[in-house]
Amino acid sequence: MQTPLASPVPVIRLPRGPDGLSRGFAPDGRRALLKPEVSETPESLIVHESRESQEQQARAMLRERYLRSLLAMVGRQVSFTLHEGVHVTAQFGATDLDVANFYVSQLQTPIGVQAEALLRCSDIIAYNFKL
């Protein structure tokens, strides 16, 4: 693993959902994990646990790299590619707790400049920035 993060990633909190508890994670939603059924032999359990451990380590490494990239984007000009081939640029500010939205400022769109905006991550196909 790399060195610890020097400072936390800026986070904004969005209001709670209509049920008062949720922030976008429904137990039966698209983010819910589907566990495959496995046979109950000891050998298959060991192999399954080993594979899960490797997958968890890989996910942790990718998550850390992603969070480091978000931290590197703070205050920088970022170009976003959205659906339908729309390209916008903005100064990156923060993300929400679930990394479902990006808070940006000086959003330059094809029809004008917006002082501040929230970009839904589900609308973003790709983004890039210079280090």
Side-chain angles (χ1 to χ4, degrees):
M1 287 280 182
Q2 297 177 357
T3 60
L5 295 173
S7 61
V9 176
V11 172
I12 56 174
R13 289 193 181 264
L14 295 178
R16 296 206 178 267
D19 62 358
L21 302 173
S22 69
R23 289 193 192 262
F25 290 103
D28 57 345
R30 65 181 176 89
R31 292 185 180 179
L33 297 176
L34 299 175
K35 293 236 176 197
E37 293 183 24
V38 295
S39 60
E40 293 297 323
T41 64
E43 296 83 17
S44 67
L45 288 176
I46 292 171
V47 170
H48 183 68
E49 287 175 4
S50 173
R51 187 173 352 114
E52 275 189 355
S53 175
Q54 290 173 347
E55 288 175 1
Q56 184 175 359
Q57 288 175 353
R59 283 192 303 269
M61 182 187 68
L62 291 171
R63 175 84 173 157
E64 181 180 351
R65 288 172 68 185
Y66 179 65
L67 291 175
R68 286 182 186 278
S69 76
L70 290 178
L71 185 59
M73 286 186 351
V74 174
R76 296 186 187 268
Q77 195 74 10
V78 181
S79 297
F80 296 94
T81 302
L82 308 176
H83 289 286
E84 311 249 344
V86 176
H87 297 280
V88 297
T89 58
Q91 184 173 345
F92 186 80
T95 182
D96 63 355
L97 192 59
D98 297 331
V99 191
N101 299 291
F102 288 161
Y103 165 76
V104 297
S105 58
Q106 298 305 311
L107 178 66
Q108 300 172 10
T109 70
I111 60 171
V113 176
Q114 184 70 31
E116 295 181 333
L118 277 178
L119 296 177
R120 295 181 303 199
C121 289
S122 60
D123 293 339
I124 299 170
I125 295 173
Y127 62 87
N128 59 47
F129 62 98
K130 294 183 181 179
L131 290 175

